[in-house]
Amino acid sequence: GQNIDQPTEMTATEGAIVQINCTYQTSGFNGLFWYQQHAGEAPTFLSYNVLDGLEEKGRFSSFLSRSKGYSYLLLKELQMKDSASYLCAVRSGGYNKLIFGAGTRLAVHP
Amino acid sequence: GAGVSQTPSNKVTEKGKYVELRCDPISGHTALYWYRQSLGQGPEFLIYFQGTGAADDSGLPNDRFFAVRPEGSVSTLKIQRTERGDSAVYLCASSRDRGTGELFFGEGSRLTVL
């Protein structure tokens, strides 16, 4: 089976940096994804890692260690609009079926 | 269309009734996925279509749930004899065959079974 764990809730201050961790157990690992979901809206793609290391995209970076089954999403220069749920998802197998974690609700306060 | 379109956006029904939820994917996307999301949870995989065929329906919870995609574009998720536990947001997503694996999600259909 597959298991994805991430913290339920986090809080952070505007302008700060926050790291959201995700651990996973899966067979046939074929990529790890982070999605952002604002309340009442559709999830939107943030990042994708298939090889070990750090992928940077503007204020957001994502890291993957396949040997440890571990990823994190790093958000810099936090803004109020970053308050949302952040979903870690794993792809296994040969197509784009993603298995999602429960999500981490991030609250950014002034 | 520009994005994934789902209708209805909200559906309230009574226990035991039949419901259909429609998804119109992004033009040219051959892969289509249905997910179900309950409050405070991540999306739960239901079924995946590649073209017209259901390539993976392992997430459908039971035989009350069925989905079709007869022409390889629009898909309909059908739920028979609805139960209160079926209440959730049903999300549809589409993607290109491969690429980075980016799924483009619709806004969802919120189903409430009374």
Side-chain angles (χ1 to χ4, degrees), chain A residues 33 35 37 42 94-96 98, chain B residues 33 35 37 56 98 100 103 106:
Chain A
F33 300 78
Y35 279 75
Q37 186 175 29
Y95 55 91
N96 290 338
L98 300 185
Chain B
Y33 305 77
Y35 283 80
Q37 187 172 27
D56 182 348
R98 188 75 176 172
T100 62
L103 299 186

Side-chain angles (χ1 to χ4, degrees), chain B residues 63-80:
Chain B
D63 61 5
R64 295 187 298 105
F65 289 74
F66 189 70
V68 296
R69 196 186 184 199
E71 298 178 357
S73 180
V74 170
S75 175
T76 305
L77 178 66
K78 309 180 180 193
I79 310 173
Q80 297 177 324

Side-chain angles (χ1 to χ4, degrees), chain A residues 3-37:
Chain A
N3 192 39
I4 300 172
D5 288 313
Q6 49 182 132
T8 304
E9 292 184 352
M10 298 183 72
T11 60
T13 305
E14 193 175 15
I17 299 173
V18 71
Q19 178 175 313
I20 302 174
N21 296 324
C22 171
T23 58
Y24 64 89
Q25 293 175 317
T26 187
S27 56
F29 175 83
N30 193 17
L32 187 133
F33 300 78
W34 285 94
Y35 279 75
Q36 181 190 58
Q37 186 175 29

Side-chain angles (χ1 to χ4, degrees), chain B residues 17-105:
Chain B
K17 299 292 187 182
Y18 170 79
V19 166
E20 287 191 353
L21 307 175
R22 174 189 165 105
C23 173
D24 196 347
I26 292 173
S27 178
H29 281 190
T30 58
L32 185 146
Y33 305 77
W34 283 99
Y35 283 80
R36 176 169 72 173
Q37 187 172 27
S38 300
L39 192 64
Q41 298 298 313
E44 172 194 7
F45 172 79
L46 296 177
I47 187 169
Y48 155 64
F49 286 90
Q50 181 59 253
T52 60
D56 182 348
D57 63 358
S58 62
L60 294 178
N62 51 60
D63 61 5
R64 295 187 298 105
F65 289 74
F66 189 70
V68 296
R69 196 186 184 199
E71 298 178 357
S73 180
V74 170
S75 175
T76 305
L77 178 66
K78 309 180 180 193
I79 310 173
Q80 297 177 324
R81 304 183 304 279
T82 52
E83 300 177 356
R84 292 192 179 88
D86 299 335
S87 296
V89 176
Y90 288 81
L91 294 166
C92 177
S94 68
S95 75
R96 298 181 182 88
D97 272 352
R98 188 75 176 172
T100 62
E102 180 176 358
L103 299 186
F104 294 83
F105 282 89

